[in-house]
């Protein structure tokens, strides 16, 4: 549960942080449960881009040889 997130002003937020003895901040941008899927999607995109570049280089190189 987040603490002091809904404070309206900076003074109220600072007071709440001091009262709750909060010394740091942590933000979860991507839950760990989604990390596996995101890695597969990212690697698939990179693989597709690599395959496209390789096909382009082979086609371009073959065209120049003939």
């Amino acid at each position: 549960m987040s603490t002091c997130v809904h404070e309206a002003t900076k003074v109220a937020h600072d007071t709440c942080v001091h009262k709750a003895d909060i010394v740091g901040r942590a933000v979860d941008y991507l839950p760990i449960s989604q990390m596996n899927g995101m890695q597969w999607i990212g690697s698939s995109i990179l693989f597709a881009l690599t395959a496209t570049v390789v096909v382009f280089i082979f086609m371009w190189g073959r065209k120049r040889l003939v």
Side-chain angles (χ1 to χ4, degrees), residues 3-44:
T3 307
C4 303
V5 174
H6 303 292
E7 299 299 328
T9 64
K10 180 163 176 39
V11 174
H13 181 267
D14 291 343
T15 304
C16 179
V17 168
H18 183 64
K19 190 186 303 183
D21 289 328
I22 298 173
V23 294
R25 180 182 304 190
V27 178
D28 288 334
Y29 292 104
L30 181 67
I32 197 69
S33 62
Q34 294 180 1
M35 185 61 81
N36 193 21
M38 293 297 291
Q39 287 177 336
W40 277 109
I41 290 171
S43 61
S44 299

Side-chain angles (χ1 to χ4, degrees), residues 59-66:
M59 297 299 277
W60 182 67
R62 185 174 179 193
K63 186 185 222 183
R64 290 186 59 134
L65 288 175
V66 174

